[in-house]
Amino acid sequence: MKYGLAMPLALVLCVSCPVAYGQMLSPECGELANAYGPFDYRTQTRELVIVERVHFTPQIESLERGRTSTTAGGDIDYTLRASPNHHRALKAMMDLGRKEKRSTPAGSRYSISCWFQRAEVFRPDDAMVKVLHGIFLLRSGKSGEAIAKLEQGAALDESDANIQYNLGLAYLDAGQHEKALQSAHRAYAAGFPLLGLRDKLKRMGKWREAQ
């Protein structure tokens, strides 16, 4: 099953929140204090230019052949320590773990679950982090946890098509067909381009056009 995600998403909610969150993280997930940053991906783009230029190049982001997994994991690790809620780097780390079939990709000091925990502790108001975490949980076969995470995202931004589409997939995985249909209608009304959720509902005989 494919989980849709349109990148990037701009959310301007919190510019300068305190960063003394280390005590809120699980011990294995380290601390948020960093030599450079941490910076909010949504609002502190100027501070992240040098990080992205050196450590999050297009080749790293795409996990392009010719770059070793260790190098990619290490560079994405550096990016996420400088900006724990860096949406594209979170997605890249998630994709690297899937590619390597590892919960802690080579070159990464933390597990993918830890990276999401760090992002959510750093900026609990970031709806896109909830979307990405929900997709990760869906891919891991944890539809119940994915629903909870995506519902948190929807509470932050109910009109976002990404959230509604992936929430619909999570509801479908959990057998909650009516809720999946409602989320599908919201996603498509908001302009979401992928039709996988609609087609899956059609194959199951659960699709109805919005009234």
Side-chain angles (χ1 to χ4, degrees):
M1 180 180 293
K2 295 182 179 180
Y3 306 105
L5 182 63
M7 298 290 284
L9 175 71
L11 291 172
V12 181
L13 297 171
C14 181
V15 177
S16 57
C17 301
V19 297
Y21 294 127
Q23 72 276 10
M24 299 173 62
L25 291 167
S26 299
E28 67 272 16
C29 297
E31 297 182 357
L32 292 178
N34 196 54
Y36 188 67
F39 301 112
D40 190 328
Y41 176 72
R42 302 165 296 174
T43 59
Q44 295 177 285
T45 54
R46 290 180 61 186
E47 291 85 350
L48 291 172
V49 167
I50 190 169
V51 174
E52 294 180 347
R53 185 181 299 146
V54 176
H55 294 282
F56 199 63
T57 64
Q59 291 78 15
I60 291 295
E61 182 172 7
S62 65
L63 310 179
E64 183 179 288
R65 286 186 178 182
R67 303 292 300 198
T68 66
S69 295
T70 301
T71 300
D75 282 325
I76 300 168
D77 173 293
Y78 186 96
T79 305
L80 287 172
R81 283 186 289 114
S83 178
N85 68 327
H86 195 295
H87 303 156
R88 289 159 43 226
L90 283 167
K91 181 179 183 298
M93 186 66 85
M94 178 172 64
D95 290 344
L96 182 61
R98 192 180 190 190
K99 179 179 179 180
E100 295 181 348
K101 297 181 172 59
R102 296 177 60 170
S103 60
T104 303
S108 171
R109 70 190 61 197
Y110 304 122
S111 68
I112 296 168
S113 292
C114 270
W115 289 119
F116 279 117
Q117 184 184 141
R118 289 168 60 87
E120 292 191 52
V121 168
F122 177 60
R123 290 294 184 262
D125 64 350
D126 191 331
M128 179 56 89
V129 170
K130 310 292 187 187
V131 175
L132 290 164
H133 197 176
I135 292 171
F136 170 69
L137 291 166
L138 278 173
R139 289 178 175 178
S140 302
K142 300 177 180 178
S143 59
E145 293 178 44
I147 287 170
K149 194 60 61 181
L150 289 161
E151 285 179 341
Q152 291 173 22
L156 291 169
D157 189 357
E158 188 176 24
S159 64
D160 182 78
N162 277 314
I163 298 174
Q164 293 299 333
Y165 183 87
N166 287 289
L167 185 54
L169 289 173
Y171 284 140
L172 202 60
D173 282 354
Q176 299 181 40
H177 302 132
E178 194 59 32
K179 286 186 175 181
L181 179 65
Q182 292 170 8
S183 289
H185 287 161
R186 293 190 189 105
Y188 295 131
F192 196 80
L194 303 181
L195 300 179
L197 177 57
R198 184 203 66 181
D199 293 345
K200 193 171 182 65
L201 284 162
K202 281 187 173 182
R203 288 195 296 271
M204 299 174 72
K206 303 295 182 180
W207 174 259
R208 298 190 308 274
E209 296 294 336
Q211 299 299 315

